[in-house]
Amino acid sequence: MKVAVHVTLKPGILDPQGQAVAQALRRLGFAEVADVRVGKYIEMKIDSAHMQGDVRERVEQMCRRLLANPVLEDFSIEDPTP
Amino acid sequence: MKVAVHVTLKPGILDPQGQAVAQALRRLGFAEVADVRVGKYIEMKIDSAHMQGDVRERVEQMCRRLLANPVLEDFSIEDPTP
């Protein structure tokens, strides 16, 4: 099965990468760009045969332990698809 | 208004970052992790007052010109929200 996770910087945390992208876009003529934030999009294939417990709970543990930095980042887990 | 964009590696393009994450997760005891791909999740605030034309078209241009590398990456644009 497949699960996708979004990892984004918490509101209020400075995003220099996003600021650089916003500046570059405006320089290219996209004057409408007011703000850009850059996060991660992680797609995982999960082998259900090896899994103990609920997918969502397992993926939440993965986020807390490795995929996201809980001090700086939020994460959200999409519904698993077969 | 807000628009989000996913930028992902094209299928078949090697993802060393994803492989490293998958290995690390398995080492932490998440044996069910079969594969990981890491992409970008870009959230933009768009100032409609400064915009010429259709949002989706403008964001597609941004993707082609800056946000994605069209040789290696695919992008998808989410529906804009107010």
Side-chain angles (χ1 to χ4, degrees):
Chain A
M1 102 189 57
K2 287 181 181 183
V3 191
V5 176
H6 289 100
V7 179
T8 51
L9 282 171
K10 283 184 192 290
I13 303 287
L14 208 70
D15 181 0
Q17 189 187 357
Q19 287 176 347
V21 170
Q23 243 176 55
L25 284 170
R26 285 190 289 257
R27 224 176 291 125
L28 285 171
F30 298 103
E32 67 266 42
V33 176
D35 189 42
V36 175
R37 310 270 295 169
V38 180
K40 273 174 283 185
Y41 177 60
I42 301 165
E43 297 170 296
M44 287 191 280
K45 269 192 208 140
I46 300 289
D47 179 358
S48 339
H50 281 89
M51 201 169 47
Q52 324 130 326
D54 180 60
V55 202
R56 247 198 133 71
E57 261 170 48
R58 291 289 283 176
V59 174
E60 208 176 305
Q61 286 173 28
M62 295 178 203
C63 289
R64 289 191 201 289
R65 294 193 56 193
L66 187 87
L67 302 177
N69 174 343
V71 178
L72 301 174
E73 294 170 325
D74 288 325
F75 60 84
S76 72
I77 302 167
E78 307 300 303
D79 288 330
T81 55
Chain B
M1 105 187 54
K2 286 181 181 184
V3 191
V5 175
H6 289 99
V7 178
T8 51
L9 283 171
K10 282 184 193 289
I13 303 287
L14 208 69
D15 181 0
Q17 189 187 356
Q19 288 176 348
V21 171
Q23 244 175 55
L25 284 171
R26 285 190 289 258
R27 224 176 291 125
L28 285 172
F30 298 103
E32 67 267 42
V33 176
D35 190 40
V36 175
R37 310 271 292 170
V38 180
K40 272 173 285 185
Y41 177 60
I42 300 164
E43 296 170 297
M44 287 191 282
K45 269 191 207 141
I46 300 289
D47 180 358
S48 337
H50 281 88
M51 200 170 47
Q52 322 131 328
D54 180 61
V55 202
R56 248 199 131 73
E57 262 168 48
R58 292 288 285 175
V59 175
E60 209 177 305
Q61 285 173 28
M62 295 179 202
C63 289
R64 289 191 201 290
R65 294 193 55 192
L66 186 89
L67 302 177
N69 174 342
V71 178
L72 301 173
E73 294 170 325
D74 288 325
F75 59 85
S76 73
I77 302 167
E78 307 301 303
D79 287 331
T81 56

